[in-house]
């Protein structure tokens, strides 16, 4: 028996090693950045502008600081290409970089070059021979005659196709530009400028082709310093799609679940102990946390929300009171509420604690001001002396008055992360576990803090602050899924909280109602983000903010969504960075290491459908916005997805087995039973769903849990084979659906 067990373990090890070694579809882009210029990855052009479109196209981005030399490409086994976006000459040895890049392209890696190529001179000012410069540019079908047009009043576009003018056209005075001649017809020109009507002066400034793509400095995006706004000139989705050839790449999708836009909501605990001003509750000194529960959570039982208090606000040994603790207990008891953590002491600037010592923080204890002040007051310094934070250690924490809200004991990372999760798990009713850390303050945790979440068995989220509305009219303010921090990954929230709508909670307390504009713009014409309502407990303080919050929730109630807990979204987003695709035949892939991610997207796929005869572990499919969304079965560890062409795009693709078109719940473990099926389900609110069944006719639908029937009904599948039903049962605890044709 022991020998058999050892053999079994060896088989598992060998299988795992084989899985790790098998070829996968490359989906990693290596971004070369110069942190001498851009300081930190979070502020780079690549992260703030390019990474979101790349994520949308299914690509994950890793970063390399060129100040550390040139990277060893063997460290990146699934590398698809390289991206650069320089404004100058960042390489100490530009000739070495040209040789490195040429060798990489010889291996088949595709390059996206935005802005300056970084090849004309080394950092010391030594010019690179023009022959060597042109050896690099020839890879993009171009030649540089060492000319430059700085007077552009006679220059006009000879060609500007649909890739140009995405958010801002070529208006006003054109930026100066290099004179790039085209030498290779395999490359497609998207922008050509011509001087004085002379074709001999044509300069090809945006091109894509076999080696990738190049877009010249000044013709990627426009920046208006007066209003601090950036707008894309270049269509980043189209440019990166062509540059990295992503058409045939399965896209891991974090916006959609069960064929519907995913919904989640989460609340940071700031303002928990504030007294509401909302009548008639103000006279009873109702806390903002209770006001949020009364006005925005209890009336919307079908919309889950993750509530993250600060331990310091609720624990009696810190600043907790019977009222603040009672507010937590009442919230955690609600079925739709997931307990989460907003840390123990609410750090404001996480970098301050990366090399923490109690002595470093001691200077702030005399500056803390009113110890009973709220977290936001302490952040803004409303209760501190005028001199607090000036000079000395205060200069290290930016706009924050003190480094964290509560300074009673020395900072303890384990207490801040794992300790707080354990605290809220213990405070929650049986069966509920706090696993989500919602970052506080500047939401910029260091690597060790992120690792502490993972080691505690938790997940993390916050940061990003997505806006896309009249005040922020550009996808440049829609962030990527998250950011790499060393070997760890921070997951961003999918929307901005009320702070950015209210000038950091100083005026326009109604402003959060404008969230609906970002929600609309990030769903159409392409779905960029899930539906996220993210706010703080101080939204329960003002009547205007409560009304704004309720407007957003009402908009959610009226929308077609698939609601989940915020920790579920965080786990799905983690899966984006880990998922791998192993080719398994013509238009067929085995899906590996996807974690909680359950949706794949295929673009330009109106005449493409799942081939169920060659697929396993696929629950359903739905066409939307020209894309095909494929729902994977969470019960199948390694699904296989195969595609086939279909003749019609105006009907649901036919199949010999039932499949999900869309649903409010999440489904798992579907098993076909004749022309019917059974499937597990979990979710919030009544279960509205649409399935395609093999045969028209009447079907019975039964919801069961633990052998007991919770609900039963009937539904009719018409000639279109669509079976639409709303199951009036609670699926917060998983249940089983049985769908069977009625015998005639």
């Amino acid at each position: 028996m022991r020998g058999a067990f050892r053999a079994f373990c060896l088989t598992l090890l060998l299988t795992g090693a084989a899985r790790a070694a098998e070829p996968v579809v490359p989906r990693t882009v290596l971004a070369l950045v110069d942190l001498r210029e851009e300081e930190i990855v979070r502020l780079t052009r690549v992260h703030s502008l390019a990474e979101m479109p790349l994520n949308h196209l299914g690509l994950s981005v890793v970063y390399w600081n060129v100040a550390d030399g040139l990277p060893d490409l063997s460290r990146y086994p699934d590398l698809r290409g390289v991206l650069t976006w320089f404004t100058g000459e960042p390489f100490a040895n530009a000739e070495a970089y040209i040789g490195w890049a040429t060798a990489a392209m010889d291996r088949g890696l595709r390059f996206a070059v935005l802005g300056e190529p970084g090849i004309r001179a080394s950092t010391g000012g030594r010019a690179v021979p023009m022959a060597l410069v042109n050896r690099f540019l020839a890879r993009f079908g171009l030649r540089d005659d060492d000319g430059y047009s700085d007077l552009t009043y006679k220059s006009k576009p000879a060609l500007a196709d649909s890739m140009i003018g995405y958010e801002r056209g070529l208006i006003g005075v054109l930026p100066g530009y290099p004179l790039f001649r085209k030498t290779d017809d395999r490359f497609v020109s998207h922008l050509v400028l011509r001087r004085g009507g002379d074709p001999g002066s044509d300069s090809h400034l945006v091109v894509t082709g076999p080696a990738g793509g190049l877009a010249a400095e000044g013709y990627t995006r426009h920046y208006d310093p007066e209003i601090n706004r950036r707008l894309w000139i270049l269509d980043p989705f189209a440019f990166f799609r062509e540059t990295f050839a992503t058409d045939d790449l399965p896209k891991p999708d974090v916006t959609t679940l069960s064929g519907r836009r995913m919904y989640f909501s989460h609340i940071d605990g700031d303002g928990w102990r504030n007294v509401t001003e909302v009548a008639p509750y103000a006279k009873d000194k109702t806390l903002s946390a209770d006001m949020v529960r009364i006005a925005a959570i209890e009336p919307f039982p079908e919309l889950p929300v993750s509530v993250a208090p600060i331990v310091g606000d609720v624990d009696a040994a810190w600043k907790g009171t019977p009222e603040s603790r009672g507010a937590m207990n009442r919230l955690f008891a609600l079925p739709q509420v997931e307990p989460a953590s907003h840390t123990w002491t609410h750090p404001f600037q996480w970098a301050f604690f990366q090399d923490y010592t109690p002595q470093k923080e001691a200077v702030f204890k005399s500056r803390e001001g009113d110890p009973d002040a709220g977290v936001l007051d302490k952040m803004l310094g409303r209760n501190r002396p005028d001199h607090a934070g000036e000079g000395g250690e205060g200069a290290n924490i930016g706009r924050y008055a003190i480094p964290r809200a509560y300074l009673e004991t020395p900072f303890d990372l384990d207490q801040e992360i794992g300790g707080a999760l354990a605290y809220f798990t213990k405070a929650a009713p049986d069966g509920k576990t706090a696993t989500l850390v919602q970052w506080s303050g500047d939401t910029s945790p260091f690597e060790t803090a992120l690792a502490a979440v993972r080691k505690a068995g938790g997940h993390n989220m916050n940061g990003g602050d997505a806006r896309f509305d009249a005040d922020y009219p550009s996808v440049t303010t829609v962030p990527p899924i998250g950011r790499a921090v060393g070997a760890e990954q921070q997951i961003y929230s999918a929307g901005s909280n009320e702070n950015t709508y209210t000038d950091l909670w100083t005026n326009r307390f109604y402003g959060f109602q404008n969230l609906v504009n970002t929600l609309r713009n990030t769903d159409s014409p392409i779905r960029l983000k899930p539906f996220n309502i993210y706010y703080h407990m101080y939204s329960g303080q003002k009547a205007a903010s409560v009304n704004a919050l309720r407007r957003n929730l009402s908009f959610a109630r009226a929308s077609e969504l698939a609601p989940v807990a915020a920790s579920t979204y965080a786990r799905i987003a983690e899966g984006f960075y880990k998922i791998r695709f192993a080719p398994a035949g013509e238009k067929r892939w085995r899906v590996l290491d996807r974690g909680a991610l359950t949706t794949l997207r295929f673009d330009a796929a109106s005449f493409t459908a799942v081939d169920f005869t060659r697929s396993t572990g696929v629950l359903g499919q739905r066409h939307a916005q020209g894309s095909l969304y494929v729902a994977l079965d969470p019960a199948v560890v390694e699904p296989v997805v195969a595609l086939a062409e279909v003749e019609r795009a105006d009907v649901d693709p036919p199949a010999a087995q039932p499949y999900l078109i869309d649903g409010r719940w999440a489904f798992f473990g579907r098993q076909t039973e004749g022309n019917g099926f059974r499937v597990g389900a979990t979710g919030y609110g009544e279960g509205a769903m649409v399935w395609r069944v093999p045969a028209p006719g009447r079907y019975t639908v039964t919801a069961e849990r633990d052998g007991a029937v919770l609900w039963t009904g009937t539904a009719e599948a018409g000639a279109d084979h669509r079976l639409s039903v709303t199951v009036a049962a609670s699926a917060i605890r998983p249940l089983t659906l049985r769908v069977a044709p009625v015998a005639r």
Side-chain angles (χ1 to χ4, degrees):
M1 180 67 70
R2 186 173 297 174
F5 179 73
R6 287 175 178 170
F8 174 71
C9 291
L10 180 60
T11 300
L12 285 179
L13 287 171
L14 292 175
T15 301
R19 285 279 190 269
E22 69 181 315
V24 296
V25 177
R27 51 179 295 266
T28 298
V29 171
L30 174 62
L32 304 185
V33 295
D34 184 2
L35 298 187
R36 293 164 299 191
E37 174 204 355
E38 298 186 283
E39 296 185 2
I40 58 175
V41 166
R42 184 169 56 86
L43 300 179
T44 62
R45 287 174 289 276
V46 173
H47 180 71
S48 61
L49 299 175
E51 189 168 350
M52 184 278 288
L54 290 166
N55 287 172
H56 179 75
L57 295 170
L59 301 176
S60 178
V61 181
V62 296
Y63 291 83
W64 178 267
N65 182 11
V66 297
D68 297 328
L70 295 171
D72 177 3
L73 295 181
S74 66
R75 299 174 52 186
Y76 310 98
D78 68 337
L79 200 58
R80 192 176 193 88
V82 176
L83 168 62
T84 67
W85 197 341
F86 302 126
T87 59
E89 309 296 343
F91 296 103
N93 187 336
E95 291 95 332
Y97 168 68
I98 292 172
W100 177 90
T102 300
M105 284 186 262
D106 286 341
R107 286 179 41 188
L109 294 181
R110 303 173 73 91
F111 270 60
V113 177
L114 290 85
E116 295 294 344
I119 57 170
R120 299 180 184 279
S122 298
T123 51
R126 178 172 50 85
V128 175
M130 189 54 62
L132 197 55
V133 170
N134 278 322
R135 186 180 303 174
F136 177 86
L137 293 176
R139 295 292 186 139
F140 301 92
L142 301 174
R143 175 182 175 81
D144 185 355
D145 290 335
D146 200 19
Y148 190 85
S149 181
D150 50 3
L151 297 176
T152 62
Y153 65 95
K154 290 186 177 180
S155 297
K156 299 192 180 303
L159 168 68
D161 69 8
S162 60
M163 194 179 286
I164 308 302
Y166 182 67
E167 293 177 335
R168 186 182 191 273
L170 296 175
I171 57 178
V173 178
L174 296 176
Y177 58 89
L179 303 182
F180 287 158
R181 317 300 183 195
K182 188 174 177 182
T183 60
D184 189 337
D185 288 337
R186 294 178 302 163
F187 284 81
V188 176
S189 297
H190 304 281
L191 174 63
V192 180
L193 293 189
R194 179 176 295 172
R195 288 184 301 181
D198 177 12
S201 70
D202 284 358
S203 186
H204 299 251
L205 299 181
V206 179
V207 296
T208 58
L214 180 146
E217 177 69 14
Y219 294 88
T220 55
R221 91 292 192 209
H222 170 78
Y223 175 67
D224 187 337
E226 291 188 5
I227 58 174
N228 191 27
R229 292 288 180 268
R230 299 174 297 187
L231 299 171
W232 280 103
I233 296 171
L234 185 69
D235 181 341
F237 301 97
F239 178 77
F240 290 132
R241 171 178 166 261
E242 295 290 344
T243 294
F244 293 115
T246 63
D247 278 356
D248 295 329
L249 174 70
K251 280 84 173 173
D253 189 279
V254 305
T255 71
T256 303
L257 180 73
S258 298
R260 292 185 171 200
R261 190 182 192 186
M262 194 187 314
Y263 169 93
F264 69 95
S265 178
H266 63 299
I267 312 174
D268 292 344
D270 310 48
W272 190 280
R273 297 184 293 124
N274 293 12
V275 174
T276 187
E277 301 169 14
V278 178
Y281 301 94
K283 65 181 176 57
D284 297 326
K285 297 185 177 180
T286 300
L287 298 187
S288 289
D290 275 320
M291 191 68 248
V292 166
R293 171 181 55 82
I294 293 166
I297 298 181
E298 289 178 339
F300 298 88
E302 78 280 18
L303 297 178
V305 58
S306 299
V307 176
I310 304 159
V311 175
D313 274 337
V314 296
D315 188 84
W318 293 69
K319 301 300 178 184
T321 64
E323 292 77 17
S324 67
R325 176 88 182 186
M328 177 185 68
N329 293 337
R330 288 185 286 274
L331 280 160
F332 283 1
L334 296 175
Q336 71 270 34
V337 169
E338 174 189 46
S341 169
H342 200 44
T343 72
W344 195 289
T345 66
H346 198 287
F348 291 128
Q349 183 158 323
W350 282 88
F352 180 88
F353 299 99
Q354 189 165 5
D355 54 354
Y356 174 81
T357 64
Q359 293 75 22
K360 180 180 177 183
E361 192 176 48
V363 65
F364 294 101
K365 290 201 172 184
S366 63
R367 302 177 183 175
E368 190 180 1
D370 180 2
D372 291 322
V375 170
L376 188 69
D377 284 339
K378 291 183 178 184
M379 180 180 77
L380 294 174
R382 290 172 177 160
N383 297 284
R384 63 189 173 106
D386 290 343
H387 67 277
E390 297 176 2
E393 294 292 339
N396 294 330
I397 61 166
R399 70 180 186 273
Y400 300 107
I402 53 176
R404 54 191 173 123
Y406 299 120
L407 308 176
E408 278 77 356
T409 64
F411 180 82
D412 182 339
L413 183 60
D414 290 336
Q415 179 192 56
E416 208 71 52
I417 303 298
L421 287 173
Y423 183 95
F424 293 123
T425 296
K426 185 177 180 180
D430 290 345
K432 289 190 176 185
T433 304
T435 62
L436 181 65
V437 175
Q438 298 173 196
W439 297 112
S440 61
D442 65 359
T443 65
S444 296
F446 48 91
E447 183 178 6
T448 309
L450 284 158
V453 178
R454 177 174 50 79
K455 291 173 182 176
H459 310 279
N460 81 92
M461 188 166 61
N462 270 356
D465 284 330
R467 291 283 301 268
F468 192 3
D469 51 37
D471 291 331
Y472 296 85
S474 171
V475 296
T476 62
T477 46
V478 179
I481 296 169
R483 70 173 182 124
V485 185
E488 304 295 332
Q489 197 75 42
Q490 176 183 354
I491 303 302
Y492 287 151
S493 60
S496 183
N497 60 57
E498 75 276 62
N499 274 349
T500 68
Y501 295 88
T502 62
D503 297 334
L504 198 59
W505 200 244
T506 58
N507 60 58
R508 298 186 304 159
F509 298 109
Y510 58 84
F512 195 37
Q513 65 186 355
N514 293 317
L515 171 67
V516 297
N517 298 310
T518 291
L519 293 171
R520 290 189 179 106
N521 292 336
T522 54
D523 190 43
S524 180
I526 54 178
R527 184 172 294 166
L528 299 175
K529 290 290 178 183
F531 191 123
N532 177 208
I533 299 180
Y534 164 36
Y535 56 105
H536 298 82
M537 277 302 178
Y538 47 72
S539 269
Q541 184 177 350
K542 307 282 187 180
S545 57
V546 170
N547 290 335
L549 177 56
R550 287 178 57 86
R551 183 188 180 206
N552 294 332
L553 291 164
S554 297
F555 181 65
R557 174 174 277 171
S559 302
E560 184 189 84
L561 301 170
V564 299
S567 67
T568 299
Y569 171 75
R571 293 189 296 113
I572 288 170
E574 290 168 3
F576 174 88
Y577 295 100
K578 298 175 182 177
I579 194 170
R580 297 181 298 135
F581 301 104
E586 180 68 20
K587 291 190 176 181
R588 188 170 184 260
W589 301 267
R590 188 166 63 256
V591 184
L592 311 172
D593 303 328
R594 64 190 171 100
L597 191 145
T598 58
T599 300
L600 303 182
R601 193 186 78 251
F602 297 87
D603 291 337
S606 295
F607 290 90
T608 302
V610 173
D611 183 346
F612 284 97
T613 63
R614 297 193 300 139
S615 301
T616 58
V618 175
L619 277 174
Q621 61 181 335
R622 186 182 191 184
H623 287 92
Q625 300 172 340
S627 296
L628 173 67
Y629 290 84
V630 177
L632 304 178
D633 191 336
V636 178
V637 176
E638 292 185 2
V640 175
V641 178
L643 302 180
E645 297 303 307
V646 292
E647 293 182 356
R648 296 182 60 179
D650 59 336
V651 297
D652 300 321
Q657 65 183 67
Y659 67 80
L660 176 70
I661 296 174
D662 73 85
R664 182 180 178 88
W665 290 347
F667 301 94
F668 57 91
R670 188 207 58 210
Q671 296 182 24
T672 302
E673 298 176 340
N675 281 340
F677 61 95
R678 66 175 176 173
V679 66
T682 184
Y684 297 85
E686 294 186 339
M689 61 192 76
V690 181
W691 295 80
R692 190 191 187 280
V693 291
R698 182 161 289 275
Y699 288 75
T700 61
V701 182
T702 305
E704 304 173 353
R705 183 185 296 120
D706 301 328
V709 175
L710 306 176
W711 180 89
T712 187
T714 61
E716 186 82 21
D720 60 1
H721 293 243
R722 281 193 167 203
L723 186 74
S724 299
V725 63
T726 298
V727 178
S730 172
I732 293 177
R733 286 178 54 217
L735 53 75
T736 299
L737 291 177
R738 296 183 182 274
V739 179
V742 175
R744 294 188 181 274

